[in-house]
Amino acid sequence: MSRDVYVVHCVDTEGPLYESVEASFERLKEIFGINMEASAENLRKLQNQEIDLGGNEKLVADAFAGKRIQTLATWDQLDEMLDELMSARFRNAFPDSDGKGWVYNWFCLDHAGFTGDNPRRRDAGFGNVYRHYHRKLLENKCEKIDLLQFHYHPLPFNGAYNYAGTAYVNSNNLFQILARRVLDHHAFPAAYRAGMEAERPDAHWFLEQWIPFDYSCNSYLKENAERQPDLRDGRYGDWRRATRKWRPYHPSHDDYQVPGTCHRWITRCLSLDSRLIKLELSDVEEAFIQAGEGRAAILSFSSHDFRNMCDEVDYARGLIRKASEKYPDVKFHFSNAIDAMQKAENLIPEYAGLETEIHMDEKKNTAVFRIRAHKNIFGTQPFFCFKTVTGQYFWDNLDYGENAGEWSYVFDEKTLPADSIEQIAAAVNTPGGMTEIAVYHVKKKTTEHYYS
């Protein structure tokens, strides 16, 4: 029995985003099929519902309201907001039941693998957004408060920067991003948010291999999506059959939207304020009611970092304040995405205890790399990757050992010669969400371990 609400603020962390007036009218045509001259005057009229749109005036005004299209277009603009958000004054303006301040979960995206023009001026490159946020957390002395995790937009078939696909396994891009995060930043995610909240079977099975905590479920009333022409019939994030309770569930192998026997946890996460969904007081009260009945609740909601988030955080805090006053016996805790899962589901936070060794045969230019885990890992094998001396990154499956928790990999002429490898890494999560990475440096013949 637990009378606690764990508040998890997830941020789809994508860096600066520029949107011109012309781009707003391009989206107007894409979403609503309305073709209109792009001008600041016409945009103002749309926002004020002064143009006859055949009954869609309110929908269009909401979709193109100033708070939605006024984006932070440069890192300088975004950093100014981040310094405010991360300040002790802002964090602690409304403390939780433990007297602690606000917590952010930065789910970082790599703008990598896209082609063609970059009209929204995204910061393109492997790890660019992650590196920037890692530096900002250190600058603001909040690296022990906030969490850096993983957000991914599958590549669309046209490769455009300002679109997202839904397929995970039709390119090597996802594995390149994760391999570089492991080898370059010594980080591997235990929590995840899908781009556009879009999961399909291949994404479901990919996550089931390595990432235990999934904050992608934006289960909402079907009628909300039916009013958005570009999001009907489960377009992108289809969570119509998923629970609207504030409690994680194990998904079914055949349908990620319903409970089953898979191992990862999926939990509901609504947008703080979007044209599709907006977190309401009734949603927050439902979490408090659930907790009051003795079932711990994870109240999770999302934002985008390229919009000014200060008002959104204040809005969320206002809802939580009202609910806490109405249900004073329920405690609420501002949490990171991993702690919330561990506490809500009584998961054991233990490390896997990785061991690695390598046997080199310099005459044959071969090597056998072995990995052991002394505790259960999440999934069936570590995430295994390596970097060559020429700067290429690779992911591959492992061979199973004779005993449970043992794996190996052979470097030879059928894979890559041993002398072509610079670094080798294995990354694992445990069922309780503890992350461990082992990186072997071939030239130094040393292994380094990283824990989070």
Side-chain angles (χ1 to χ4, degrees):
M1 299 288 285
S2 172
R3 301 172 67 86
D4 298 277
V5 174
Y6 298 98
V7 179
V8 180
H9 184 184
C10 301
V11 185
D12 291 349
T13 307
E14 304 181 6
L17 178 75
Y18 169 77
E19 180 163 322
S20 64
V21 172
E22 290 76 15
S24 295
F25 280 85
E26 289 173 5
R27 290 201 301 115
L28 175 67
K29 184 177 180 180
E30 290 175 0
I31 297 170
F32 296 101
I34 298 171
N35 196 0
M36 186 179 298
E37 180 185 355
S39 70
E41 177 63 17
N42 277 341
L43 182 58
R44 182 192 64 77
K45 289 180 178 179
L46 290 172
Q47 291 169 335
N48 294 331
Q49 303 182 48
E50 296 174 0
I51 299 176
D52 183 4
L53 300 176
N56 286 324
E57 294 82 5
K58 186 176 180 180
L59 275 178
V60 171
D62 180 66
F64 292 90
K67 62 183 178 180
R68 303 211 197 288
I69 64 174
Q70 291 171 1
T71 59
L72 303 173
T74 67
W75 277 119
D76 286 344
Q77 294 174 356
L78 206 152
D79 284 345
E80 184 177 352
M81 176 194 70
L82 293 179
D83 289 338
E84 172 68 6
L85 288 175
M86 294 178 181
S87 68
R89 181 197 62 79
F90 188 85
R91 282 185 190 272
N92 299 322
F94 173 56
D96 65 10
S97 298
D98 304 312
K100 296 181 179 179
W102 199 257
V103 174
Y104 306 98
N105 295 270
W106 307 101
F107 288 79
C108 296
L109 174 72
D110 282 20
H111 300 290
F114 298 91
T115 58
D117 295 333
N118 186 3
R120 302 293 193 270
R121 302 176 187 174
R122 304 276 197 175
D123 189 346
F126 288 105
N128 289 12
V129 174
Y130 182 91
R131 275 192 298 273
H132 192 95
Y133 272 84
H134 185 265
R135 184 168 62 250
K136 290 303 293 184
L137 293 185
L138 293 174
E139 286 178 5
N140 286 281
K141 297 180 173 59
C142 50
E143 70 275 11
K144 295 183 179 180
I145 302 173
D146 293 347
L147 202 62
L148 295 177
Q149 290 297 299
F150 187 48
H151 182 50
Y152 178 63
H153 282 200
L155 296 177
F157 290 118
N158 63 9
Y161 276 89
N162 52 320
Y163 294 105
T166 57
Y168 280 50
V169 297
N170 65 347
S171 78
N172 187 43
N173 192 55
L174 175 58
F175 295 96
Q176 281 285 306
I177 290 170
L178 284 173
R180 290 166 186 263
R181 191 160 299 186
V182 170
L183 289 160
D184 294 348
H185 305 290
H186 307 138
F188 190 69
Y192 176 72
R193 268 187 54 77
M196 305 288 289
E197 290 86 22
E199 290 190 15
R200 296 294 187 267
D202 66 333
H204 169 40
W205 297 325
F206 169 83
L207 295 168
E208 190 65 19
Q209 294 181 77
W210 291 294
I211 303 179
F213 304 143
D214 186 352
Y215 281 79
S216 303
C217 174
N218 67 336
S219 52
Y220 50 80
L221 294 174
K222 181 180 178 182
E223 292 74 16
N224 289 6
E226 295 304 311
R227 291 192 289 266
Q228 306 293 334
D230 60 326
L231 299 177
R232 288 175 181 161
D233 300 320
R235 172 75 164 152
Y236 293 113
D238 183 4
W239 297 94
R240 292 172 290 178
R241 297 184 303 281
T243 179
R244 289 200 288 274
K245 298 291 185 182
W246 295 107
R247 190 71 188 259
Y249 66 94
H250 292 298
S252 163
H253 176 275
D254 296 333
D255 187 348
Y256 60 91
Q257 296 192 51
V258 301
T261 58
C262 284
H263 294 102
R264 86 181 187 282
W265 294 96
I266 297 178
T267 199
R268 191 185 191 203
C269 184
L270 296 185
S271 174
L272 258 181
D273 187 11
S274 74
R275 62 186 173 94
L276 176 64
I277 304 166
K278 181 175 182 178
L279 187 75
E280 304 284 359
L281 179 59
S282 59
D283 298 313
V284 179
E285 288 185 348
E286 286 172 2
F288 275 75
I289 291 170
Q290 177 181 309
E293 294 172 347
R295 294 171 294 163
I298 296 181
L299 174 64
S300 179
F301 41 81
S302 65
S303 301
H304 277 94
D305 66 331
F306 52 71
R307 296 191 180 95
N308 195 315
M309 290 167 44
C310 296
D311 289 343
E312 290 186 357
V313 173
D314 283 336
Y315 170 73
R317 289 195 284 214
L319 299 181
I320 295 166
R321 184 193 299 273
K322 290 178 182 178
S324 65
E325 291 172 350
K326 189 172 181 179
Y327 303 96
D329 293 335
V330 174
K331 294 183 178 181
F332 64 96
H333 315 274
F334 301 141
S335 303
N336 73 46
I338 295 172
D339 285 345
M341 286 283 194
Q342 291 172 343
K343 292 174 181 176
E345 298 301 329
N346 296 314
L347 304 177
I348 300 173
E350 62 181 6
Y351 289 107
L354 286 183
E355 285 187 3
T356 63
E357 62 182 35
I358 190 165
H359 299 284
M360 304 283 292
D361 186 334
E362 295 183 1
K363 291 182 179 180
K364 295 183 179 180
N365 199 11
T366 64
V368 179
F369 188 73
R370 301 188 186 279
I371 307 159
R372 297 184 188 88
H374 289 279
K375 297 288 182 65
N376 288 337
I377 69 167
F378 178 84
T380 57
Q381 65 175 341
F383 184 91
F384 175 73
C385 54
F386 49 92
K387 180 182 179 182
T388 69
V389 294
T390 57
Q392 294 177 291
Y393 294 77
F394 293 93
W395 167 85
D396 205 348
N397 289 290
L398 291 163
D399 298 321
Y400 288 96
E402 293 183 5
N403 302 308
E406 295 180 352
W407 303 268
S408 65
Y409 191 83
V410 177
F411 293 96
D412 59 14
E413 70 279 359
K414 297 181 180 66
T415 53
L416 285 174
D419 63 3
S420 70
I421 307 303
E422 180 181 297
Q423 294 181 45
I424 307 168
V428 299
N429 287 303
T430 58
M434 306 303 286
T435 306
E436 186 173 348
I437 299 171
V439 180
Y440 180 78
H441 300 269
V442 176
K443 188 174 183 179
K444 296 179 183 178
K445 298 181 180 179
T446 59
T447 301
E448 295 177 326
H449 290 261
Y450 302 90
Y451 305 89
S452 60

